[in-house]
PDB file of all heavy atoms in Angstrom:
ATOM      1  N   GLU A1718     -21.064   7.613   3.883  1.00  0.00           N
ATOM      2  CA  GLU A1718     -21.464   8.778   4.478  1.00  0.00           C
ATOM      3  C   GLU A1718     -20.345   9.760   4.593  1.00  0.00           C
ATOM      4  O   GLU A1718     -19.326   9.466   5.271  1.00  0.00           O
ATOM      5  CB  GLU A1718     -22.172   8.568   5.821  1.00  0.00           C
ATOM      6  CG  GLU A1718     -22.678   9.771   6.434  1.00  0.00           C
ATOM      7  CD  GLU A1718     -23.268   9.529   7.832  1.00  0.00           C
ATOM      8  OE1 GLU A1718     -23.533   8.376   8.073  1.00  0.00           O
ATOM      9  OE2 GLU A1718     -23.456  10.432   8.598  1.00  0.00           O
ATOM     10  N   GLN A1719     -20.502  10.914   3.937  1.00  0.00           N
ATOM     11  CA  GLN A1719     -19.378  11.852   3.955  1.00  0.00           C
ATOM     12  C   GLN A1719     -19.753  13.120   4.759  1.00  0.00           C
ATOM     13  O   GLN A1719     -20.890  13.659   4.815  1.00  0.00           O
ATOM     14  CB  GLN A1719     -19.054  12.232   2.541  1.00  0.00           C
ATOM     15  CG  GLN A1719     -18.540  11.044   1.652  1.00  0.00           C
ATOM     16  CD  GLN A1719     -18.217  11.494   0.357  1.00  0.00           C
ATOM     17  OE1 GLN A1719     -17.135  12.151   0.104  1.00  0.00           O
ATOM     18  NE2 GLN A1719     -18.751  11.075  -0.739  1.00  0.00           N
ATOM     19  N   SER A1720     -18.690  13.711   5.467  1.00  0.00           N
ATOM     20  CA  SER A1720     -18.942  14.895   6.106  1.00  0.00           C
ATOM     21  C   SER A1720     -17.694  15.706   6.093  1.00  0.00           C
ATOM     22  O   SER A1720     -16.528  15.143   5.921  1.00  0.00           O
ATOM     23  CB  SER A1720     -19.418  14.703   7.578  1.00  0.00           C
ATOM     24  OG  SER A1720     -18.404  13.936   8.354  1.00  0.00           O
ATOM     25  N   VAL A1721     -17.754  17.015   6.363  1.00  0.00           N
ATOM     26  CA  VAL A1721     -16.502  17.879   6.312  1.00  0.00           C
ATOM     27  C   VAL A1721     -16.576  18.703   7.627  1.00  0.00           C
ATOM     28  O   VAL A1721     -17.495  19.132   8.113  1.00  0.00           O
ATOM     29  CB  VAL A1721     -16.679  18.848   5.116  1.00  0.00           C
ATOM     30  CG1 VAL A1721     -15.492  19.765   5.241  1.00  0.00           C
ATOM     31  CG2 VAL A1721     -16.760  18.091   3.794  1.00  0.00           C
ATOM     32  N   MET A1722     -15.318  18.865   8.178  1.00  0.00           N
ATOM     33  CA  MET A1722     -15.114  19.654   9.300  1.00  0.00           C
ATOM     34  C   MET A1722     -14.055  20.752   8.925  1.00  0.00           C
ATOM     35  O   MET A1722     -12.966  20.484   8.481  1.00  0.00           O
ATOM     36  CB  MET A1722     -14.543  18.850  10.546  1.00  0.00           C
ATOM     37  CG  MET A1722     -15.418  17.802  11.029  1.00  0.00           C
ATOM     38  SD  MET A1722     -14.650  16.754  12.418  1.00  0.00           S
ATOM     39  CE  MET A1722     -14.578  17.956  13.626  1.00  0.00           C
ATOM     40  N   PHE A1723     -14.497  22.052   9.133  1.00  0.00           N
ATOM     41  CA  PHE A1723     -13.529  23.137   8.834  1.00  0.00           C
ATOM     42  C   PHE A1723     -12.804  23.476  10.179  1.00  0.00           C
ATOM     43  O   PHE A1723     -13.463  23.944  11.165  1.00  0.00           O
ATOM     44  CB  PHE A1723     -14.357  24.363   8.355  1.00  0.00           C
ATOM     45  CG  PHE A1723     -14.999  24.028   6.939  1.00  0.00           C
ATOM     46  CD1 PHE A1723     -16.372  23.703   6.853  1.00  0.00           C
ATOM     47  CD2 PHE A1723     -14.264  24.205   5.830  1.00  0.00           C
ATOM     48  CE1 PHE A1723     -16.858  23.326   5.678  1.00  0.00           C
ATOM     49  CE2 PHE A1723     -14.621  23.881   4.583  1.00  0.00           C
ATOM     50  CZ  PHE A1723     -16.159  23.480   4.516  1.00  0.00           C
ATOM     51  N   LEU A1724     -11.530  23.367  10.108  1.00  0.00           N
ATOM     52  CA  LEU A1724     -10.648  23.469  11.310  1.00  0.00           C
ATOM     53  C   LEU A1724      -9.486  24.421  11.153  1.00  0.00           C
ATOM     54  O   LEU A1724      -9.017  24.373   9.978  1.00  0.00           O
ATOM     55  CB  LEU A1724     -10.117  22.177  11.865  1.00  0.00           C
ATOM     56  CG  LEU A1724     -11.156  21.067  12.114  1.00  0.00           C
ATOM     57  CD1 LEU A1724     -10.565  19.664  12.241  1.00  0.00           C
ATOM     58  CD2 LEU A1724     -11.911  21.398  13.428  1.00  0.00           C
ATOM     59  N   ASN A1725      -8.943  25.047  12.157  1.00  0.00           N
ATOM     60  CA  ASN A1725      -7.680  25.640  12.193  1.00  0.00           C
ATOM     61  C   ASN A1725      -6.606  24.551  12.334  1.00  0.00           C
ATOM     62  O   ASN A1725      -6.961  23.477  12.997  1.00  0.00           O
ATOM     63  CB  ASN A1725      -7.524  26.718  13.276  1.00  0.00           C
ATOM     64  CG  ASN A1725      -8.483  27.839  13.071  1.00  0.00           C
ATOM     65  OD1 ASN A1725      -8.645  28.399  11.968  1.00  0.00           O
ATOM     66  ND2 ASN A1725      -9.094  28.253  14.204  1.00  0.00           N
ATOM     67  N   ALA A1726      -5.484  24.758  11.682  1.00  0.00           N
ATOM     68  CA  ALA A1726      -4.443  23.758  11.740  1.00  0.00           C
ATOM     69  C   ALA A1726      -4.161  23.385  13.170  1.00  0.00           C
ATOM     70  O   ALA A1726      -3.898  22.071  13.408  1.00  0.00           O
ATOM     71  CB  ALA A1726      -3.127  24.298  11.121  1.00  0.00           C
ATOM     72  N   ASP A1728      -5.991  22.974  15.584  1.00  0.00           N
ATOM     73  CA  ASP A1728      -7.144  22.087  16.192  1.00  0.00           C
ATOM     74  C   ASP A1728      -7.159  20.683  15.548  1.00  0.00           C
ATOM     75  O   ASP A1728      -8.134  19.962  15.984  1.00  0.00           O
ATOM     76  CB  ASP A1728      -8.406  22.932  16.130  1.00  0.00           C
ATOM     77  CG  ASP A1728      -8.380  24.305  16.713  1.00  0.00           C
ATOM     78  OD1 ASP A1728      -7.693  24.231  17.791  1.00  0.00           O
ATOM     79  OD2 ASP A1728      -9.057  25.191  16.392  1.00  0.00           O
ATOM     80  N   LYS A1729      -6.450  20.511  14.502  1.00  0.00           N
ATOM     81  CA  LYS A1729      -6.676  19.184  13.802  1.00  0.00           C
ATOM     82  C   LYS A1729      -6.369  17.945  14.566  1.00  0.00           C
ATOM     83  O   LYS A1729      -7.179  17.037  14.562  1.00  0.00           O
ATOM     84  CB  LYS A1729      -5.782  19.170  12.559  1.00  0.00           C
ATOM     85  CG  LYS A1729      -6.289  20.075  11.480  1.00  0.00           C
ATOM     86  CD  LYS A1729      -5.286  19.797  10.181  1.00  0.00           C
ATOM     87  CE  LYS A1729      -5.824  20.575   8.992  1.00  0.00           C
ATOM     88  NZ  LYS A1729      -5.069  20.270   7.725  1.00  0.00           N
ATOM     89  N   LYS A1730      -5.228  17.900  15.352  1.00  0.00           N
ATOM     90  CA  LYS A1730      -4.950  16.774  16.180  1.00  0.00           C
ATOM     91  C   LYS A1730      -6.023  16.363  17.209  1.00  0.00           C
ATOM     92  O   LYS A1730      -6.391  15.265  17.219  1.00  0.00           O
ATOM     93  CB  LYS A1730      -3.534  16.934  16.764  1.00  0.00           C
ATOM     94  CG  LYS A1730      -2.358  16.803  15.803  1.00  0.00           C
ATOM     95  CD  LYS A1730      -1.070  16.820  16.584  1.00  0.00           C
ATOM     96  CE  LYS A1730       0.033  16.769  15.668  1.00  0.00           C
ATOM     97  NZ  LYS A1730       1.333  16.708  16.315  1.00  0.00           N
ATOM     98  N   ALA A1731      -6.528  17.425  17.866  1.00  0.00           N
ATOM     99  CA  ALA A1731      -7.497  17.287  18.841  1.00  0.00           C
ATOM    100  C   ALA A1731      -8.796  16.644  18.263  1.00  0.00           C
ATOM    101  O   ALA A1731      -9.444  15.736  18.761  1.00  0.00           O
ATOM    102  CB  ALA A1731      -7.749  18.410  19.731  1.00  0.00           C
ATOM    103  N   ALA A1732      -9.152  17.240  17.097  1.00  0.00           N
ATOM    104  CA  ALA A1732     -10.416  16.803  16.385  1.00  0.00           C
ATOM    105  C   ALA A1732     -10.265  15.380  15.830  1.00  0.00           C
ATOM    106  O   ALA A1732     -11.195  14.491  15.898  1.00  0.00           O
ATOM    107  CB  ALA A1732     -10.682  17.701  15.224  1.00  0.00           C
ATOM    108  N   LEU A1733      -8.969  14.914  15.333  1.00  0.00           N
ATOM    109  CA  LEU A1733      -8.763  13.751  14.793  1.00  0.00           C
ATOM    110  C   LEU A1733      -8.855  12.742  16.093  1.00  0.00           C
ATOM    111  O   LEU A1733      -9.591  11.658  15.891  1.00  0.00           O
ATOM    112  CB  LEU A1733      -7.401  13.595  14.264  1.00  0.00           C
ATOM    113  CG  LEU A1733      -6.947  12.169  13.836  1.00  0.00           C
ATOM    114  CD1 LEU A1733      -7.882  11.600  12.865  1.00  0.00           C
ATOM    115  CD2 LEU A1733      -5.548  12.209  13.283  1.00  0.00           C
ATOM    116  N   LEU A1734      -8.341  13.018  17.148  1.00  0.00           N
ATOM    117  CA  LEU A1734      -8.331  12.108  18.275  1.00  0.00           C
ATOM    118  C   LEU A1734      -9.744  11.952  18.721  1.00  0.00           C
ATOM    119  O   LEU A1734     -10.121  10.774  19.094  1.00  0.00           O
ATOM    120  CB  LEU A1734      -7.454  12.587  19.393  1.00  0.00           C
ATOM    121  CG  LEU A1734      -7.168  11.684  20.488  1.00  0.00           C
ATOM    122  CD1 LEU A1734      -6.384  10.358  20.081  1.00  0.00           C
ATOM    123  CD2 LEU A1734      -6.312  12.350  21.627  1.00  0.00           C
ATOM    124  N   ALA A1735     -10.581  12.947  18.672  1.00  0.00           N
ATOM    125  CA  ALA A1735     -11.908  12.872  19.085  1.00  0.00           C
ATOM    126  C   ALA A1735     -12.731  11.904  18.126  1.00  0.00           C
ATOM    127  O   ALA A1735     -13.537  11.169  18.531  1.00  0.00           O
ATOM    128  CB  ALA A1735     -12.557  14.316  19.145  1.00  0.00           C
ATOM    129  N   GLN A1736     -12.453  12.087  16.852  1.00  0.00           N
ATOM    130  CA  GLN A1736     -13.115  11.212  15.900  1.00  0.00           C
ATOM    131  C   GLN A1736     -12.694   9.675  16.216  1.00  0.00           C
ATOM    132  O   GLN A1736     -13.559   8.850  16.091  1.00  0.00           O
ATOM    133  CB  GLN A1736     -12.689  11.567  14.480  1.00  0.00           C
ATOM    134  CG  GLN A1736     -13.325  12.861  13.956  1.00  0.00           C
ATOM    135  CD  GLN A1736     -14.909  12.796  13.829  1.00  0.00           C
ATOM    136  OE1 GLN A1736     -15.313  11.768  13.192  1.00  0.00           O
ATOM    137  NE2 GLN A1736     -15.543  13.848  14.347  1.00  0.00           N
ATOM    138  N   LEU A1737     -11.445   9.426  16.428  1.00  0.00           N
ATOM    139  CA  LEU A1737     -11.031   8.122  16.595  1.00  0.00           C
ATOM    140  C   LEU A1737     -11.450   7.476  17.858  1.00  0.00           C
ATOM    141  O   LEU A1737     -11.645   6.363  17.982  1.00  0.00           O
ATOM    142  CB  LEU A1737      -9.427   8.119  16.567  1.00  0.00           C
ATOM    143  CG  LEU A1737      -8.731   8.460  15.195  1.00  0.00           C
ATOM    144  CD1 LEU A1737      -7.321   8.403  15.478  1.00  0.00           C
ATOM    145  CD2 LEU A1737      -9.032   7.553  14.132  1.00  0.00           C
ATOM    146  N   THR A1739     -14.492   8.051  19.072  1.00  0.00           N
ATOM    147  CA  THR A1739     -15.948   7.977  19.002  1.00  0.00           C
ATOM    148  C   THR A1739     -16.326   6.599  19.122  1.00  0.00           C
ATOM    149  O   THR A1739     -15.802   5.619  18.492  1.00  0.00           O
ATOM    150  CB  THR A1739     -16.425   8.473  17.536  1.00  0.00           C
ATOM    151  OG1 THR A1739     -16.092   9.842  17.452  1.00  0.00           O
ATOM    152  CG2 THR A1739     -17.909   8.355  17.564  1.00  0.00           C
ATOM    153  N   MET A1742     -16.189   3.415  16.432  1.00  0.00           N
ATOM    154  CA  MET A1742     -15.236   3.867  15.314  1.00  0.00           C
ATOM    155  C   MET A1742     -14.617   2.691  14.673  1.00  0.00           C
ATOM    156  O   MET A1742     -14.486   2.501  13.499  1.00  0.00           O
ATOM    157  CB  MET A1742     -14.388   4.861  15.681  1.00  0.00           C
ATOM    158  CG  MET A1742     -13.356   5.291  14.710  1.00  0.00           C
ATOM    159  SD  MET A1742     -13.932   5.836  13.154  1.00  0.00           S
ATOM    160  CE  MET A1742     -14.387   7.511  13.659  1.00  0.00           C
TER     161      MET A1742
END
Side-chain angles (χ1 to χ4, degrees):
E1718 180 182 340
Q1719 301 186 62
S1720 60
V1721 178
M1722 298 175 67
F1723 295 95
L1724 300 165
N1725 293 320
D1728 299 327
K1729 282 187 175 182
K1730 286 186 177 180
L1733 172 60
L1734 194 59
Q1736 288 293 311
L1737 295 178
T1739 301
M1742 170 60 71

